[in-house]
Structures are given as C-alpha cells and as structure tokens.
Amino acid sequence: MLQNQPIDIYCMANQDRSDRVRWLIEELGLDYRDHYLKRKNGDLNSPRYLALNPTGRVPTIVDNGKVIYESGAICLYLADKYRHKKELAPAFEADERAEYLQWMVWSVASLECVIAHMFTHVNTEAEKAETHAFVKKQCEIFQRALNPILEKQEYILKSGFSAADIMLAAVIPGAWDYLVEPNPAIKAYMNRLMQRPAAVKTRVFEVPDVSGH
Ligand SMILES: N[C@@H](CCC(=O)N[C@@H](CS)C(=O)NCC(=O)O)C(=O)O
C-alpha cells in the first residue's frame, strides 16, 4: 500500500509512549510529522484532540485519515500494514507469528503495566516500600522469561529484528533498577537496540525535557 501523506503523530515528547511508534515508523522508512501537545495548555483535553482520542492520552496517529491510539496497537497496525516496506512483523501464516504477538502484547500489558505501579499508590513510605518489593519481584519473573531467549539469540525472535524488539526496548529501561545483577544478556540486547540508527535519530533513549509540559 502506498503512503500518500506523512503519518501524523500526536505526542508530548519524543520519549513518551510515542517513542516506540516513531522508532518503528523510522525503521519502516515512512514519512511522519510530530505534533507536540502541552498538558499545561490543556491540549490533551481540547475538543479537537478528544475527537481523535477520547481518552486524552498520547500517542495517537493519523495515517491517511485512519486514526488509531494505544501504542501497542499502533505498532501492530503499522508493522503489518507496511510490511512490504520492511519485514518487521512475521507473516500471518509464519510459525513465529505467535511469539511475535506474545512479546508485542507482553511488553505493554505485563511489563509496562507493572513498572507503572511505581508511579501510583506510593504516597507513604510504607506504600513505596511495598510497591518497590512488588515491582522487584515481578522484574525477577520478567528476567526469568527473557534471559533464556536473549542468551541464545540476538533478538527476541529467532528470525531477527522485529517490531517486538522495539516494544521491549522502549519499556525495559523502566525496569532497569529492579533487574537482578549480573545481567549480561539483557544489557547486550539493549546496547544492540539503542545503537540502531532509527532509535538514535528519533531520540528514544535521550533524557526528556519536560520543562515545557
Ligand atoms: N496504554 C497507553 C498509555 C497512554 C498514556 O498513558 N500516555 C501518557 C503519556 S506516555 C499520557 O498520555 N498521559 C496523560 C497525561 O500525562 O496527562 C499507550 O500505550 O498508548
């Protein structure tokens, strides 16, 4: 399918959950334009933005008139739709399609959701300690799932780099402080991914400037 217009990305910063979307779009070689919204200006709850995304969150994309939000869903959509540009999703009939879907969904539904606990329910010191212990325990379980794979192959799929690596690499840094050391396989994996020209160009791993938000 031809791309008639650049994909519009609505975000607050390159390092919010638009990071994985922009990185994937760059890997796919597609044109895009960023639209930076400011929370403090009420941009997320403006009638114009709510008409695109009634949840008032970012990212949202508009691709040739098609509006879609939810970062994992956007990446699944783009990797399939533009597979002819670059194969970053296994074909529907490929055996690895199952693992691919598993990691695409796991990265957000299991890993990112657990990490997000650290930003909620932490009003008191006791809550903070309890949440920290919970997240640490979960991260140990995540390591148990990822390590045996990353110890024997460079990417999460045996066939090579895919959109699932983008999803995982965008989320793993949030778990960094909770991982059990030594941790060579996940570190080498992240180093490999952080050096990808598309990740560098889209500034996924830079410290965000949130001063204007
Ligand atoms: N599960 C959603 C989460 C979207 C989300 O919570 N985005 C944050 C920014 S990363 C947001 O829009 N927060 C609203 C706010 O900060 O007011 C996704 O992956 O797209």
Side-chain angles (χ1 to χ4, degrees):
M1 197 171 300
L2 287 177
Q3 190 192 19
N4 303 323
Q5 314 163 14
I7 295 173
D8 290 303
I9 305 177
Y10 293 85
C11 61
M12 290 193 284
N14 281 43
Q15 297 78 16
D16 61 24
R17 286 175 174 97
S18 67
D19 57 357
R20 54 215 70 173
V21 171
R22 192 177 298 97
W23 180 3
L24 176 60
I25 289 175
E26 190 66 45
E27 293 275 3
L28 289 167
L30 301 170
D31 294 330
Y32 63 95
R33 322 181 260 234
D34 285 305
H35 302 270
Y36 294 97
L37 307 180
K38 284 192 168 45
R39 191 198 288 116
K40 68 171 188 191
N41 292 352
D43 294 347
L44 292 174
N45 288 308
S46 71
R48 194 164 157 259
Y49 186 63
L50 290 177
L52 293 178
N53 182 342
T55 71
R57 294 185 169 254
V58 291
T60 302
I61 66 158
V62 184
D63 172 31
N64 281 324
K66 184 77 204 162
V67 180
I68 176 167
Y69 55 87
E70 195 60 41
S71 63
I74 299 172
C75 289
L76 282 163
Y77 162 85
L78 290 172
D80 281 342
K81 180 168 176 189
Y82 295 104
R83 199 171 166 274
H84 59 286
K85 300 274 284 180
K86 191 171 175 183
E87 279 187 34
L88 295 181
F92 288 114
E93 62 281 7
D95 187 56
E96 269 190 326
R97 182 83 183 172
E99 285 89 346
Y100 168 73
L101 292 174
Q102 171 188 295
W103 294 117
M104 290 295 280
V105 176
W106 185 85
S107 60
V108 273
S110 292
L111 185 53
E112 191 162 63
C113 273
V114 162
I115 296 163
H117 275 75
M118 281 316 291
F119 303 98
T120 51
H121 316 301
V122 288
N123 299 320
T124 64
E125 285 308 312
E127 277 174 352
K128 229 180 259 178
E130 198 181 315
T131 306
H132 187 279
F134 166 74
V135 175
K136 182 135 188 60
K137 178 84 205 138
Q138 294 303 310
C139 284
E140 276 170 34
I141 296 170
F142 298 154
Q143 257 177 294
R144 200 167 71 205
L146 288 172
N147 266 338
I149 300 168
L150 298 177
E151 276 162 7
K152 62 174 198 276
Q153 63 201 43
E154 290 199 335
Y155 298 104
I156 202 68
L157 299 185
K158 215 186 312 170
S159 57
F161 178 70
S162 71
D165 295 304
I166 293 178
M167 292 302 296
L168 287 170
V171 176
I172 286 173
W176 219 234
D177 293 342
Y178 307 95
L179 298 181
V180 180
E181 296 287 348
N183 188 18
I186 296 179
K187 278 193 182 134
Y189 176 67
M190 284 304 296
N191 280 336
R192 219 170 285 136
L193 291 166
M194 287 167 80
Q195 284 168 27
R196 289 189 73 86
V200 174
K201 187 173 172 195
T202 55
R203 304 192 286 126
V204 177
F205 299 102
E206 288 181 17
V207 178
D209 174 12
V210 292
S211 55
H213 291 188

